Amino acid sequence: MVDKLIAEINTITDFSKEDITLFIEALEEKTIPKGEHFLKEGQISTRFGYLTSGLMMYYKIIEGNEVPSDFALEHDWVVSLKSYTTGSASDMNIKALEDTRLFTLSNIKMDELLAIQPKFMALRSYYTELSFIRISRQTYNLTTLDAKQRYYKFMTDYPELIKRVPQYHIAAYLGIKPQSLSRIRK
């Protein structure tokens, strides 16, 4: 399971075997059952999580409904960047939509890694940029595409989510009513 993560981080920058060993030793393996949270609104995000299996959803509660802002699949990282970076309370929730296994890296361990090997800053920068790109893409899609175009774009960009995420979550993510999504799908 850790092999995919090692291969991925080695594409970001060239780490030595010692660096990789330090990184792996800093990780903690966790399992989050379906429906349980990695992070709840109001908590401070103090760790990153790298999914090895499962599915998670970023969401906010709006008028009593869970409104997704993003999803994370295998080989994605999860964190509330705003909370993690500023040390403030999270304004979102992250929960497992399936039983999920992940490696976590606490901010304390990350700071220790950075003190030993500054190259680890490349990882943090890379994943922060990826998160920004995903958020920007979703914002662009919501503001410039109509409902049908948003759904087709979602199907193209995330085909695996169509089968794994409940349709009402997909509809909310796309900013449409579930009935409208049903019509579009027909």
Side-chain angles (χ1 to χ4, degrees):
M1 282 189 248
V2 77
D3 294 340
K4 174 76 175 159
L5 176 57
I6 293 167
E8 185 177 311
I9 66 173
N10 272 323
T11 64
I12 297 165
T13 192
D14 187 30
F15 288 106
S16 69
K17 289 181 183 179
E18 294 79 18
D19 295 338
I20 296 295
T21 300
L22 282 172
F23 183 74
I24 291 169
E25 289 173 353
L27 298 174
E28 183 180 339
E29 193 168 6
K30 291 192 177 285
T31 300
I32 300 178
K34 178 181 179 177
E36 296 295 315
H37 284 82
F38 176 75
L39 180 70
K40 289 184 178 180
E41 186 175 349
Q43 294 177 328
I44 296 174
S45 186
T46 60
R47 58 194 167 126
F48 283 90
Y50 178 82
L51 279 67
T52 57
S53 66
L55 170 65
M56 300 191 103
M57 174 177 74
Y58 292 77
Y59 73 97
K60 289 186 68 78
I61 300 290
I62 300 174
E63 297 177 5
N65 298 309
E66 294 179 352
V67 179
S69 61
D70 204 358
F71 300 96
L73 293 161
E74 294 85 3
H75 314 299
D76 284 338
W77 286 91
V78 291
V79 66
S80 170
L81 275 176
K82 178 181 171 187
S83 174
Y84 183 89
T85 304
T86 63
S88 62
S90 177
D91 60 356
M92 70 173 60
N93 301 281
I94 305 172
K95 82 171 180 179
L97 294 181
E98 300 173 354
D99 291 340
T100 301
R101 292 179 48 135
L102 65 162
F103 291 112
T104 64
L105 179 63
S106 72
N107 57 353
I108 293 168
K109 292 287 187 183
M110 184 60 163
D111 289 344
E112 289 172 4
L113 288 173
L114 288 169
I116 295 167
Q117 176 52 273
K119 268 192 204 180
F120 285 109
M121 184 57 81
L123 290 181
R124 197 149 110 182
S125 296
Y126 176 79
Y127 289 114
T128 300
E129 289 170 13
L130 276 184
S131 179
F132 177 75
I133 290 167
R134 285 177 73 136
I135 292 166
S136 296
R137 184 179 337 151
Q138 174 63 357
T139 301
Y140 175 81
N141 290 344
L142 285 172
T143 58
T144 63
L145 303 176
D146 66 31
K148 190 174 184 179
Q149 291 170 324
R150 287 194 303 270
Y151 180 66
Y152 286 129
K153 181 90 171 119
F154 182 81
M155 285 186 350
T156 303
D157 291 347
Y158 308 107
E160 63 281 2
L161 290 177
I162 296 294
K163 296 176 188 152
R164 294 172 66 181
V165 174
Q167 293 301 302
Y168 63 92
H169 283 320
I170 293 173
Y173 176 78
L174 296 174
I176 59 178
K177 301 266 186 233
Q179 302 86 336
S180 298
L181 179 58
S182 292
R183 280 191 299 277
I184 291 169
R185 292 181 71 214
K186 287 180 184 177

